[in-house]
Amino acid sequence: MYVCPKCKNNIDLQKQRCNNCRLEFKYERNHFIYNYDRLLFDKYKNIFLRNKVLNNNGLISYLLLEEASLSLENRDDVRRFRNFIETQLEKNKKNKILDIGCGLMELPGYLNFEEIEKMDLYGLEPIESSKFKGKLITGCSEFIPLEDKSMDVVIFATSIDHVCSIEDSINEVKRLLKKDGKVFIWMSDNEKSILSKIKKLIKTTFEYFKYGYRTDKYKIFNNFKVVLEVPRGGVDPFHSFFESPKIIENKFKKSGFYMTNKVINTKDEVFLTFEIK
């Protein structure tokens, strides 16, 4: 089931080193760990460094801002995404599901399916302290240590805009999916027009003179409990670009996918389904 995340050769989990490229890894009790940061830095350099700062901001928000977690089952948007997935799953089948960006809790609310005992759950999360109750991979979506055509379903729940390379992540997903496999995405529509960008510039200039600091560079939460800085190249504390369904659809189409379902509840609650042509 597991392969080397770098060269994709078969590996012996007991040896904890790839015989082909010599990449080291750890495996214990359904937990696969490898130095994904090094792989990302070697390939993407400055893009990785910026992305790492943004993801570190995300970690702070998960730890200190409870409302930031999508693992909370009592959220209406979480329940709606679970229903969106569940109604499209093939019934009477032990679906193998990979959740990319599964978070820190045992089970995200959107994975708490009625027939969860029939699911074979894998979670991929860059934060090693994740307590995911399925088979956990501490790693990244650009280098996934799973063999070809091993997954029925791949999920990105507000995580596709946190990767270093969307294109390489999509290609990895394509490699992993079985025939008739599905990709479920929860994302926001943050497409910005030229007019909205001009309005934002005017607004941040006004706020600088009013408050005495760059509101586009520093974000304050919970009365200074959390202060996050936007790094150079970031559009906010967590993202390097303004995502939109149009951008994601075009990137999936270029990799041979087609969209089979699209639900827009709000601009922060866009659900998409893709399958391979």
Side-chain angles (χ1 to χ4, degrees):
M1 187 64 194
Y2 293 97
V3 297
C4 174
K6 182 179 181 181
C7 70
K8 302 302 186 287
N9 269 35
N10 292 329
I11 52 177
D12 184 341
L13 294 178
Q14 302 302 317
K15 291 183 177 180
Q16 304 200 36
R17 183 192 294 268
C18 175
N19 287 332
N20 182 55
C21 69
R22 312 306 292 171
L23 180 76
E24 295 183 349
F25 59 87
K26 292 195 296 184
Y27 180 80
E28 53 185 22
R29 295 188 296 276
N30 287 328
H31 188 183
F32 190 103
I33 307 170
Y34 61 100
N35 190 353
Y36 65 92
D37 281 331
R38 184 76 240 184
L39 294 176
L40 291 173
F41 177 75
D42 288 344
K43 186 167 185 180
Y44 305 108
K45 296 296 189 294
N46 287 331
I47 294 174
F48 160 74
L49 294 174
R50 180 185 64 210
N51 196 63
K52 187 69 174 179
V53 172
L54 294 168
N55 285 342
N56 285 343
N57 285 344
L59 173 59
I60 292 171
S61 72
Y62 272 118
L63 294 177
L64 299 180
L65 302 173
E66 182 178 336
E67 65 274 13
S69 175
L70 294 182
S71 297
L72 304 175
E73 183 161 359
N74 59 354
R75 284 177 46 159
D76 289 338
D77 51 358
V78 173
R79 285 199 294 266
R80 284 191 288 269
F81 187 52
R82 182 183 68 235
N83 292 337
F84 177 79
I85 297 171
E86 198 164 22
T87 56
Q88 298 179 71
L89 291 179
E90 186 175 338
K91 304 300 182 184
N92 302 316
K93 176 182 179 180
K94 189 176 181 64
N95 285 286
K96 283 191 174 182
I97 299 174
L98 173 63
D99 182 16
I100 295 179
C102 60
L104 303 183
M105 298 176 68
E106 286 191 358
L107 190 69
Y110 54 82
L111 290 185
N112 193 13
F113 304 120
E114 287 185 10
E115 297 184 344
I116 191 170
E117 69 281 354
K118 294 183 179 179
M119 311 295 176
D120 191 3
L121 298 180
Y122 289 75
L124 187 148
E125 172 62 45
I127 303 170
E128 193 169 338
S129 58
S130 174
K131 299 178 177 63
F132 189 72
K133 69 183 297 183
K135 300 175 181 69
L136 175 63
I137 299 168
T138 299
C140 64
S141 58
E142 293 85 355
F143 298 94
I144 302 178
L146 295 172
E147 62 187 14
D148 295 3
K149 303 188 186 307
S150 57
M151 292 291 131
D152 298 293
V153 171
V154 174
I155 297 171
F156 289 93
T158 70
S159 59
I160 198 166
D161 54 333
H162 291 282
V163 304
C164 271
S165 171
I166 293 179
E167 293 82 2
D168 289 347
S169 297
I170 292 173
N171 286 333
E172 274 289 79
V173 168
K174 182 178 180 180
R175 179 182 65 81
L176 293 178
L177 280 178
K178 299 177 183 178
K179 184 180 179 181
D180 300 323
K182 292 181 172 65
V183 183
F184 297 107
I185 298 175
W186 175 359
M187 63 175 297
S188 299
D189 187 353
N190 292 317
E191 186 172 6
K192 304 294 182 182
S193 65
I194 294 177
L195 179 60
S196 66
K197 291 178 181 178
I198 293 174
K199 287 181 178 179
K200 181 181 179 181
L201 178 61
I202 295 172
K203 180 174 181 288
T204 54
T205 302
F206 171 78
E207 289 175 340
Y208 175 76
F209 288 104
K210 181 179 180 179
Y211 301 117
Y213 73 95
R214 293 279 301 272
T215 57
D216 59 327
K217 295 298 181 183
Y218 298 95
K219 301 299 180 183
I220 300 170
F221 302 90
N222 288 5
N223 195 25
F224 297 97
K225 180 180 179 181
V226 175
V227 178
L228 301 178
E229 183 177 5
V230 181
R232 178 178 294 181
V235 296
D236 62 30
F238 313 111
H239 306 99
S240 60
F241 71 101
F242 291 118
E243 65 174 344
S244 73
K246 184 186 299 182
I247 290 174
I248 299 304
E249 183 177 359
N250 286 338
K251 290 186 181 297
F252 269 88
K253 281 185 175 179
K254 286 181 180 179
S255 292
F257 287 84
Y258 64 100
M259 185 186 295
T260 58
N261 203 351
K262 181 178 183 180
V263 173
I264 301 176
N265 295 320
T266 68
K267 70 179 185 65
D268 293 320
E269 198 177 322
V270 180
F271 303 154
L272 309 175
T273 307
F274 291 96
E275 297 182 35
I276 299 175
K277 291 182 180 178

